[in-house]
Amino acid sequence: MDDAAERVEDALENAQTLKPFHLDADDEGNEIISEGTVKDASEKALAEDIAKPLPPGCTIINRITIK
């Protein structure tokens, strides 16, 4: 499952809007947990939209906070 978390993290890092936030993705069983801090709700939603299709069969848990 570690490979799926790596793919999600790479995709988040490659998104120009999200790149400055250095978001993280880790796996816990069949869940991929994204974490970090962004400045508004649209960036949080964008991170989730980017992450969702990448790990088939995994659940995305979005723990990204807004500050």
Side-chain angles (χ1 to χ4, degrees):
M1 193 62 72
D2 200 25
D3 184 47
E6 213 170 288
R7 285 195 317 254
V8 169
E9 191 166 322
D10 288 347
L12 294 173
E13 288 174 0
N14 288 329
Q16 289 299 323
T17 304
L18 301 175
K19 191 175 193 117
F21 301 108
H22 307 288
L23 301 175
D24 187 37
D26 294 304
D27 64 334
E28 289 183 16
N30 69 336
E31 297 178 336
I32 305 295
I33 299 163
S34 57
E35 298 179 297
T37 303
V38 295
K39 60 183 177 179
D40 62 42
S42 66
E43 291 165 342
K44 181 176 179 172
L46 175 61
E48 190 166 337
D49 290 345
I50 289 170
K52 271 187 179 178
L54 294 174
C58 296
T59 301
I60 299 294
I61 307 296
N62 187 346
R63 291 189 184 155
I64 295 171
T65 57
I66 300 166
K67 188 171 182 180

